[in-house]
Amino acid sequence: MNQPRIPRKRTYLLCPPEYFTVEYAINPWMDTATPVDRELAVKQWHGLRETLLGLGHTVHELGPEPGLPDMVYAANGAFVVDGTVYGARFRHPQRTAEAAAHRAFYESHGWRFVAPAETNEGEGDFTYLPAAHGGLILAGYGFRTEPAAHAEAQEVLGRPVVSLRLVDPRFYHLDTALAPLDDGNIAYFPEAFSVAAQRVLAQLFPDAVRADEVDAFGFGLNLVSDGRHVVLNAEASGMAAKVAAAGYLPVPVELSELKKGGGSVKCCVAELRD
C-alpha cells in the first residue's frame, strides 16, 4: 500500500518563450526544417505557469532576450541548493549568453551566486533530493556537463554528488531521463544510463518508478513534482499511469511546441531552493 503523498510548496523560475524558435540543432530533437508556432508555444507556456500557480507554488519570471531562443528552458541556467546558486557554463556557443542573464537575475534578488569554472548546464544535469541518504545531488554527464563540474558543485554546495553517465544522445541532459518524484525518490529510464550508473541507481533508489522507452521518448521524465502532484507532458500517458500507480497525482500539460526544441516541463522550470 502506498504511503500518502504530501505536497511541499516550491518556488520556481520560468522564462516566457517570446523569442523561441528552432534555428539551430544542438540535440537530436531539434529540426530546423520543422516550423515552430510561437503563438501556440506562448499559450502552452502560460498553461504550464498557471498550472504551477494553481497548485500553490510561487513562480518568478526571467525576462527573455532576443537572439537567445532557448532561454525558455530556464532549468539550464543554474542549480540552487539551500540558497546558494551554482551558475551554468553552457557547452554550445549558441546558448553561452544565457548564463549572464541568469546570473543577473539571481544577484539582483540577493542570492549567493558562485560562478563556475567548469562546463555545466544547471538543473539540466543536476537534481537534489534533500531526504535521500541525508541529502543527495544526482548529476549527469556524457553530453553537456563535464564530470569536473560535479566535483566543483560538491565543493560549492556542500552536498555529496553522485555522477551518472548518460549514454544515449537523445537523453542529452539528466532531466530527460530522471526526475525526483518527492524529496527522497525518483523516476528514471534505465537504458539512458551506463550499466554502472544503472547499478548505482538501483542500489540508491530500490523503490524508484522505472520508465519504459515510450515514456522516455514522450518526454515523460521531463517532469516537475511537488511530492504529490506530478506535472508532466500530456503525451506521456503511460508515465502518468505509472506515477498514479505509485500514489502520486499526475497533472498533464500540453507542451508540443516546446518539445521541438528538445524540452518539456522540467526544462522550462528551475527550482529555487532557499
Side-chain angles (χ1 to χ4, degrees), residues 28-99:
W29 304 97
M30 301 176 85
D31 181 359
T32 57
T34 301
V36 169
D37 184 336
R38 190 175 296 161
E39 183 178 346
L40 179 56
V42 170
K43 179 180 179 181
Q44 291 177 344
W45 179 88
H46 277 287
L48 171 62
R49 178 181 178 276
E50 292 306 311
T51 296
L52 296 173
L53 289 170
L55 292 172
H57 304 302
T58 300
V59 175
H60 295 283
E61 288 191 27
L62 176 67
E65 297 185 11
L68 297 175
D70 282 344
M71 273 190 74
V72 64
Y73 303 123
N76 303 156
F79 177 50
V80 186
V81 176
D82 293 341
T84 296
V85 183
Y86 176 54
R89 185 172 181 176
F90 286 88
R91 165 76 59 190
H92 295 288
Q94 295 94 331
R95 300 196 66 183
T96 300
E98 293 179 41

Side-chain angles (χ1 to χ4, degrees), residues 7-260:
R8 177 167 62 80
K9 293 201 182 304
R10 314 291 177 114
T11 301
Y12 296 125
L13 177 66
L14 283 75
C15 180
E18 185 175 335
Y19 302 107
F20 176 65
T21 186
V22 178
E23 60 185 33
Y24 48 77
I26 58 173
N27 68 60
W29 304 97
M30 301 176 85
D31 181 359
T32 57
T34 301
V36 169
D37 184 336
R38 190 175 296 161
E39 183 178 346
L40 179 56
V42 170
K43 179 180 179 181
Q44 291 177 344
W45 179 88
H46 277 287
L48 171 62
R49 178 181 178 276
E50 292 306 311
T51 296
L52 296 173
L53 289 170
L55 292 172
H57 304 302
T58 300
V59 175
H60 295 283
E61 288 191 27
L62 176 67
E65 297 185 11
L68 297 175
D70 282 344
M71 273 190 74
V72 64
Y73 303 123
N76 303 156
F79 177 50
V80 186
V81 176
D82 293 341
T84 296
V85 183
Y86 176 54
R89 185 172 181 176
F90 286 88
R91 165 76 59 190
H92 295 288
Q94 295 94 331
R95 300 196 66 183
T96 300
E98 293 179 41
H102 281 266
R103 179 173 186 167
F105 169 86
Y106 287 109
E107 290 184 338
S108 70
H109 285 75
W111 293 80
R112 176 178 176 258
F113 185 92
V114 179
E118 305 295 342
T119 299
N120 81 89
E121 298 200 348
E123 279 201 322
D125 275 321
F126 289 101
T127 196
Y128 180 53
L129 290 102
H133 307 280
L136 196 65
I137 294 170
L138 302 181
Y141 72 98
F143 299 103
R144 296 291 188 86
T145 293
E146 291 295 328
H150 298 181
E152 185 175 54
Q154 181 169 274
E155 290 302 309
V156 169
L157 300 170
R159 295 287 184 274
V161 175
V162 175
S163 295
L164 303 166
R165 184 161 72 92
L166 296 160
V167 296
D168 186 329
R170 292 168 295 188
F171 306 103
Y172 60 95
H173 273 156
L174 181 71
D175 70 6
T176 63
L178 180 150
L181 292 173
D182 53 39
D183 289 345
N185 201 17
I186 64 169
Y188 71 106
F189 176 49
E191 288 78 6
F193 298 91
S194 68
V195 172
Q198 290 180 44
R199 289 200 297 265
V200 169
L201 288 169
Q203 180 175 331
L204 290 175
F205 301 99
D207 298 323
V209 174
R210 297 193 179 200
D212 61 28
E213 189 174 86
V214 175
D215 301 327
F217 289 165
F219 277 68
L221 287 159
N222 196 240
L223 61 82
V224 168
S225 176
D226 63 11
R228 172 169 168 74
H229 308 99
V230 178
V231 182
L232 78 172
N233 183 15
E235 178 185 332
S237 57
M239 192 66 208
K242 288 182 178 67
V243 299
Y248 302 91
L249 183 63
V251 182
V253 294
E254 181 57 62
L255 285 179
S256 59
E257 290 308 296
L258 293 170
K259 186 183 173 187
K260 293 175 180 177

